[in-house]
Amino acid sequence: SDKRALLKGAFRGLREGGELYFSDVYASRRMPEHLVADPVLYGESLSAALYAARAGLKPVIVAPVLGGQLLAKGVDVENYPGFAEAIQGPWLMDQMKAQAENVGTEMVFDHVASVDLENRPFTLSCESGTQWTCDTLVICTGAQAKWLGLDSEDEFRGFGVSACATCDGFFFRDREVAVVGGGNTAVEEALYLTNHASKVTLIHRRDSLRCEKILEDRLLQNPKIETIWDSEVQTINGTSGFPKEVTGLTLRNRKTDAVSELKIDGLFVAIGHAPATGIFNGTGLEMDGGYLVTAPDSTKTNIPGVFAAGDVTDHSYRQAVTAAGMGCMAALEVEKYLAALDVGETPDWKIAA
């Protein structure tokens, strides 16, 4: 079924560490060659779609899969307002999706291959062959996992090296694994992996964690987790046959330069995320460090009619609740922009330098 195919593709994409390409899941679906909508939301801002639909617009979400950081959180979500008890990220996404669809949002599961922001209306060309045109575009493509940048990491990615504990932790039941990182994501991944692995080693390049205090306390009190401080991974070691397997790590202490070996069966990289903006290179959108630049207290980009919300523009907070709030902001600004176009006015588009 389509649901099973989408789920299968989702876990494959998450295992590959961030950019989720699932056009093959729906490639056989018969779709028109050219469709028009306003606004088109490229990415996963269900809050923007909800507010746009309630304003009487006809929002269409075009994305390979919905969920982003919430989909990857098979662990408990405890900091999203409105729930007295911890909830699961995928369940919350299902509820948000149903809510947006109930007020008229259309969901299109496709991968956008190219974007034309120089001509109006804007055009998004998808791998399925469909083209969408729109007067307003809300970019909510989120962020993708960062990697260590090692040759050995590339060699063993998908063969014992992963960026998603929720997706791949099951494969390491009763085995020893390591997590690299020191923020909330790394600690959450390590805690989740204790449900499967016999031992989890957290490797951090500093001498203290950067996570929330409650997460730090849980990690340090968990008997299945050990920490290695002030260290970085030099090489991921493993077998060269097929299938390849990770057998250990070569570590270097950043303070003493001492080199050591750590025997493990799997490595989970959790050192942060980078905004998924590669497709917008050369489109004229202003970026800063890969993040889309928006006006202060606004989701407006430097191109009139193009808005950005969530982790794709937020390099400070990167929380699901702040992304949802920015989606609301984008929808309200879209409504105002389109209302001006409808009466033949030039929409106000002041962007601070």
Side-chain angles (χ1 to χ4, degrees), residues 75-89 91-92 218:
V75 294
D76 291 342
V77 176
E78 299 175 302
N79 58 358
Y80 199 89
F83 302 95
E85 303 294 333
I87 57 174
Q88 294 284 297
W91 176 85
L92 180 58
R218 290 176 185 172

Side-chain angles (χ1 to χ4, degrees), residues 148-176:
L148 299 172
L150 303 172
D151 290 340
S152 54
E153 179 183 53
D154 293 336
E155 180 182 357
F156 290 102
R157 193 180 302 179
F159 295 93
V161 175
S162 171
C164 180
T166 306
C167 314
D168 295 331
F170 174 81
F171 299 108
F172 297 91
R173 183 172 295 278
D174 298 324
R175 304 177 76 181
E176 297 187 7

Side-chain angles (χ1 to χ4, degrees), residues 9 11 40 43 45 66 91 103-104 160 179 215 241 252 276 284 337 347:
F11 283 115
V40 167
S45 184
L66 296 178
W91 176 85
V103 292
V179 177
L215 291 176
R252 182 184 71 86
Y337 182 91

Side-chain angles (χ1 to χ4, degrees), residues 46-277:
L46 289 165
S47 62
L50 173 65
Y51 273 80
R54 286 177 56 84
L57 304 177
K58 300 295 182 183
V60 172
I61 292 181
V62 181
V65 72
L66 296 178
Q69 56 175 294
L70 285 178
L71 180 64
K73 283 183 177 290
V75 294
D76 291 342
V77 176
E78 299 175 302
N79 58 358
Y80 199 89
F83 302 95
E85 303 294 333
I87 57 174
Q88 294 284 297
W91 176 85
L92 180 58
M93 284 306 308
D94 286 342
Q95 297 301 304
M96 290 181 173
K97 178 175 178 289
Q99 185 183 24
E101 288 179 318
N102 284 342
V103 292
T105 300
E106 181 181 353
M107 309 284 180
V108 176
F109 296 103
D110 206 346
H111 174 60
V112 176
S114 63
V115 180
D116 179 4
L117 303 181
E118 294 183 0
N119 302 295
R120 293 179 185 271
F122 306 129
T123 302
L124 285 74
S125 300
C126 299
E127 285 191 352
S128 65
T130 303
Q131 283 192 332
W132 290 89
T133 57
C134 56
D135 291 315
T136 52
L137 172 65
V138 182
I139 300 171
C140 343
T141 48
Q144 59 195 28
K146 289 182 179 179
W147 294 93
L148 299 172
L150 303 172
D151 290 340
S152 54
E153 179 183 53
D154 293 336
E155 180 182 357
F156 290 102
R157 193 180 302 179
F159 295 93
V161 175
S162 171
C164 180
T166 306
C167 314
D168 295 331
F170 174 81
F171 299 108
F172 297 91
R173 183 172 295 278
D174 298 324
R175 304 177 76 181
E176 297 187 7
V177 301
V179 177
V180 177
N184 280 358
T185 300
V187 174
E188 287 176 341
E189 299 270 271
L191 289 168
Y192 172 80
L193 285 166
T194 60
N195 296 320
H196 301 290
S198 59
K199 178 182 176 182
V200 179
T201 302
L202 182 73
I203 303 166
H204 187 35
R205 64 197 304 270
R206 296 183 174 89
D207 58 6
S208 62
L209 298 172
R210 296 175 289 108
C211 62
E212 297 172 0
K213 185 65 167 60
I214 188 172
L215 291 176
E216 180 177 11
D217 291 343
R218 290 176 185 172
L219 179 128
L220 296 178
Q221 294 168 12
N222 194 306
K224 295 180 72 174
I225 300 178
E226 293 186 7
T227 54
I228 297 179
W229 305 104
D230 300 311
S231 298
E232 58 188 15
V233 178
Q234 278 196 324
T235 308
I236 301 168
N237 306 312
T239 62
S240 57
F242 186 84
K244 293 179 284 189
E245 291 184 353
V246 170
T247 58
L249 304 174
T250 300
L251 306 177
R252 182 184 71 86
N253 187 289
R254 300 179 71 244
K255 289 184 176 179
T256 66
D257 273 337
V259 175
S260 61
E261 302 293 327
L262 177 67
K263 182 180 178 181
I264 59 165
D265 302 299
L267 175 67
F268 292 84
V269 180
I271 57 173
H273 291 76
T277 54

